[in-house]
Amino acid sequence: MFKSLMASLILFSVSNISLAADITERGYDDVVFKDSGLTSNQTDYLKIPKDWAHAYGSDSKTITHLDSNLAELVRLRVGQIDNCNYCVILHTKQTVKMGIPAAKVSSLSTWQQSNLFTDKEKAALAFAESVSSLNHDTSRIAYKNLLKADFSKPEIEELTNVVILMDIWARIFMVQGKVSEAPGK
């Protein structure tokens, strides 16, 4: 039994390591990303955000309370706020893959002026914006509005970690000088 448990743990660790490597190296048929800044990882500074991405990123299997479509909309909105080209492209493609309506994705930056979003989505987006922009005054109000919109404490915890993870990656990609370009350039 112990050998079986150890083998499972090793397999889990190896599979997580291989998945983690993919987080910063994604490309698509119509766009690739190149780094023009920091390209080293000698201190393994990417380990913690990669581990966190497994828990709260688009491919997460551990988010169990927060609706996955809502989490993806929040990821995209935070990418927009952070002016992260990589984040916006990646999470726009994810929303399409998930079947989120194009009109909703297209109007995400103007969600306050749209009736395409539910009250719960609007509460989550307001909270994400306040946390991402470090606005202490609006974050208290946004938190109370999450409770009014019937978010559970576990949903709020997962939502908070989704927002913070996005902010971390946007800053890492900025330092890496990550830019998009057409394949073959």
Side-chain angles (χ1 to χ4, degrees), residues 5 9 11 48 55 72 81 89 91 103 105 109 119 168 178 180:
L5 178 62
L9 284 172
L11 180 60
I48 292 172
E72 202 57 43
I81 292 166
I89 290 172
H91 295 291
V105 174
S109 65
D119 289 342
I168 289 168
K178 196 169 286 300
S180 59

Side-chain angles (χ1 to χ4, degrees), residues 37-89:
L38 180 67
T39 58
S40 66
N41 189 20
Q42 294 176 13
T43 63
D44 204 18
Y45 79 102
L46 295 174
K47 182 188 181 328
I48 292 172
K50 284 181 179 182
D51 288 346
W52 207 0
H54 288 296
Y56 298 103
S58 294
D59 299 328
S60 170
K61 304 290 187 247
T62 59
I63 292 182
T64 58
H65 299 93
L66 188 63
D67 176 76
S68 61
N69 284 1
L70 176 56
E72 202 57 43
L73 287 170
V74 166
R75 288 183 192 99
L76 177 54
R77 182 64 188 125
V78 173
Q80 292 171 340
I81 292 166
D82 289 341
N83 292 314
C84 177
N85 181 250
Y86 179 92
C87 302
V88 170
I89 290 172

